[in-house]
């Protein structure tokens, strides 16, 4: 059906040479064109990859307009990026001082923990909008260094703050896009629970919003002590502790707690922490929380925990708003859908060992937890949980 085109063999050397030269030239043109196409594709692919890497770097490092997210989860205490007060306070400071951050959203899910961790976060939140005792740098001549930053119009900041918090709480209102840099809100969102030390820390924020079924409050302090002296008597074993200092073994689990020790721990430690807790909550929620007389009558500071509707009624939180609603409203107000978590391990191309570092951190945390269990005593430190 198809006949192969017959070619006449070259009769002379010149014809043979010309035929081979023509064939080689055609193959060279095809190969050269293929190389050009492949090179072009490679250049485009590499350029696109570098653009993605740069874009990812800019977003990871917080160099684009975004909303900062700070996580508070689990029991508050050392050993966790989302529970350690030092880690969280530093993350809040870094986020707030980033000029590309439009708002700081603290997503709190904790039943409490260490008082010191709560105070670290509380004071950092207070410091953001009410700086006190700032360190002044001086130049070699001994004169204070000057700053070109104009002083903010406090009346305008207050007006913008009131409007922003109103819109975030209700979901309705008007907002001037020119005011996006006038005020940087620091707000808390609660989905399930924010109690005791968690609430202590959150009370200094500009506003606290929670889901309808969230649990809020538990303003109190607790300390555990186990008395195993009767068990020791039953077993027939006696512990002898040598001390220097009358109260050095006051909390020894191998003998009953004395009335003097109980009175001292109650008055000096527990009641003292409780008074500071109440005082700081009243300062953080000033103008929102019920007056002291009403708080006393309802037992607001008795350790009770409240659901969102009651917590709003007593001024513990501001409004019933879910985390999803709050994120959507922040995105609308500040014109960005970028959210960056500041206190979670970042795994990016700048650190090829990021995954291994995270694994090592996790193993260290587990090891510390197990060590804590092995060395745990019968008397705990005071906690807010």
């Amino acid at each position: 059906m198809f006949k192969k085109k017959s070619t006449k063999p070259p009769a002379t050397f010149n014809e043979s040479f010309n035929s081979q030269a023509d064939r080689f030239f055609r193959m060279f043109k095809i190969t050269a064109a293929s190389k050009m196409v492949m090179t072009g594709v490679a250049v485009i692919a590499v350029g696109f990859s570098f653009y993605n890497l740069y874009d990812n770097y800019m977003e990871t490092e917080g160099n684009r307009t975004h909303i900062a997210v700070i996580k508070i989860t689990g029991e508050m205490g050392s050993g966790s990026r989302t529970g350690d007060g030092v880690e969280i306070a530093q993350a809040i400071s870094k986020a707030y001082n980033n000029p590309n951050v439009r708002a700081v959203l603290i997503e709190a899910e904790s039943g409490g923990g260490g008082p010191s961790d709560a105070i670290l976060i509380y004071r950092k939140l207070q410091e953001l909008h009410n700086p006190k005792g700032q360190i002044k740098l001086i130049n070699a001549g001994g004169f204070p260094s000057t700053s070109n930053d104009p002083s903010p119009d406090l009346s305008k900041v207050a007006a913008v703050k009131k409007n922003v918090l109103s819109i975030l709480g209700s979901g309705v209102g008007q907002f001037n896009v020119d005011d996006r840099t006038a005020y940087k809100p620091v707000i808390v969102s609660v989905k399930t629970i924010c109690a005791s030390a968690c609430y202590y820390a959150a009370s200094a924020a500009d506003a606290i919003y929670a889901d309808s079924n969230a649990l809020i409050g538990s303003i109190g302090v607790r300390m555990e002590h186990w008395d195993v002296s009767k068990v020791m008597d039953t077993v027939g074993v006696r512990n002898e502790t040598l001390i220097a200092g009358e109260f050095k073994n006051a909390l020894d689990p191998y003998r009953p707690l004395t009335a003097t020790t109980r009175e001292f721990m109650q008055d000096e430690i527990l009641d003292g922490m409780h008074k500071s807790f109440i005082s700081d909550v009243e300062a953080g929620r000033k103008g929102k929380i019920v007056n002291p007389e009403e708080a006393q009558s309802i037992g607001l500071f008795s350790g009770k925990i409240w659901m969102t509707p009651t917590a709003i009624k007593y001024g513990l939180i501001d409004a019933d708003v879910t985390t999803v609603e709050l994120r959507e409203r922040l995105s609308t107000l500040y014109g960005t859908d970028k959210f960056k978590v500041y206190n979670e391990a970042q795994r990016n191309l700048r650190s090829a060992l990021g995954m291994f570092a995270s694994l090592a951190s996790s193993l260290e945390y587990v090891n510390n937890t197990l060590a804590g269990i092995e060395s745990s005593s019968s008397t705990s430190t005071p906690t807010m949980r």
Side-chain angles (χ1 to χ4, degrees):
M1 175 179 268
F2 298 99
K3 294 182 179 180
K4 185 176 179 181
K5 184 178 180 181
S6 60
T7 56
K8 183 179 179 182
T12 64
F13 173 79
N14 287 338
E15 288 182 0
S16 177
F17 179 82
N18 291 335
S19 174
Q20 293 298 325
D22 184 57
R23 180 182 177 188
F24 174 79
F25 182 70
R26 287 198 303 271
M27 290 179 63
F28 175 79
K29 288 197 297 182
I30 295 174
T31 303
S34 299
K35 286 183 177 180
M36 290 179 63
V37 171
M38 293 301 295
T39 301
V41 171
V43 169
I44 293 173
V46 170
F48 185 72
S49 297
F50 273 108
Y51 173 79
N52 281 339
L53 290 176
Y54 173 76
D55 188 66
N56 183 65
Y57 168 79
M58 293 293 285
E59 185 170 332
T60 301
E61 294 301 309
N63 293 329
R64 298 190 188 282
T65 299
H66 64 283
I67 294 166
V69 177
I70 309 295
K71 299 280 189 177
I72 300 179
T73 58
E75 183 169 355
M76 296 173 64
S78 301
S80 167
R81 286 178 177 268
T82 58
D84 190 321
V86 174
E87 295 269 2
I88 296 170
Q90 290 177 339
I92 291 172
S93 182
K94 179 181 178 181
Y96 189 80
N97 293 321
N98 186 340
N100 297 302
V101 171
R102 292 293 176 261
V104 179
L105 173 62
I106 301 173
E107 295 182 345
E109 290 296 315
S110 172
S116 296
D117 296 279
I119 293 172
L120 281 168
I121 301 168
Y122 177 91
R123 290 186 178 177
K124 175 55 64 177
L125 292 176
Q126 276 204 323
E127 177 190 313
L128 298 181
H129 293 315
N130 303 288
K132 295 180 180 179
Q134 293 180 332
I135 298 174
K136 294 184 178 180
L137 301 179
I138 61 173
N139 55 33
F143 298 100
S145 61
T146 58
S147 174
N148 296 323
D149 295 334
S151 299
D153 184 345
L154 297 181
S155 60
K156 179 178 180 180
V157 171
V160 174
K161 175 180 178 179
K162 182 179 180 180
N163 186 38
V164 167
L165 297 182
S166 173
I167 294 173
L168 291 177
S170 64
V172 296
Q174 294 183 338
F175 181 72
N176 187 344
V177 295
D178 294 334
D179 292 336
R180 282 176 173 166
T181 58
Y183 159 69
K184 187 179 293 186
V186 181
I187 55 178
V188 174
S189 175
V190 183
K191 185 177 70 174
T192 306
I193 185 172
C194 183
S196 207
C198 177
Y199 182 75
Y200 192 156
S203 64
D206 294 339
I208 305 173
Y209 305 104
D211 182 89
S212 302
N213 296 314
L215 300 176
I216 309 293
S218 188
I219 301 173
V221 185
R222 61 179 287 176
M223 184 176 182
E224 297 175 353
H225 175 76
W226 290 84
D227 179 6
V228 298
S229 58
K230 291 185 178 181
V231 176
M232 298 290 286
D233 291 341
T234 302
V235 176
V237 178
R238 184 179 179 185
N239 171 265
E240 289 287 351
T241 305
L242 304 179
I243 64 169
E246 179 184 356
F247 283 88
K248 189 60 181 177
N249 69 336
L251 298 175
D252 193 327
Y254 303 116
R255 53 183 51 83
L257 198 66
T258 66
T260 303
T261 299
R262 183 183 297 276
E263 182 181 0
F264 173 80
M265 297 303 294
Q266 185 67 51
D267 295 342
E268 182 66 21
I269 308 298
L270 298 177
D271 289 347
M273 286 187 175
H274 194 209
K275 288 177 182 176
S276 296
F277 194 167
I278 295 171
S279 176
D280 285 343
V281 167
E282 288 178 333
R285 300 292 297 172
K286 186 177 181 180
K288 299 178 180 180
I289 201 168
V290 295
N291 60 60
E293 293 75 19
E294 186 176 353
Q296 178 67 28
S297 66
I298 61 178
L300 191 63
F301 305 130
S302 66
K304 292 180 180 179
I305 195 165
W306 318 89
M307 287 188 65
T308 293
T310 308
I312 295 173
K313 176 182 176 182
Y314 295 153
L316 293 175
I317 62 175
D318 295 88
D320 180 345
V321 184
T322 68
T323 301
V324 173
E325 290 171 336
L326 200 53
R327 284 192 173 218
E328 289 174 349
R329 293 171 189 179
L330 284 170
S331 293
T332 301
L333 286 178
Y334 292 98
T336 178
D337 60 355
K338 304 294 183 184
F339 289 83
K340 171 179 165 55
V341 180
Y342 273 70
N343 62 325
E344 284 187 348
Q346 299 294 324
R347 298 180 179 87
N348 51 45
L349 292 176
R350 287 204 314 158
S351 174
L353 298 177
M355 182 177 65
F356 299 102
S358 177
L359 177 60
S361 177
S362 299
L363 291 175
E364 182 182 3
Y365 176 65
V366 171
N367 183 59
N368 291 339
T369 302
L370 294 175
I373 293 174
E374 292 175 356
S375 62
S376 60
S377 67
S378 59
T379 302
S380 70
T381 56
T383 59
M384 295 176 178
R385 56 184 174 88

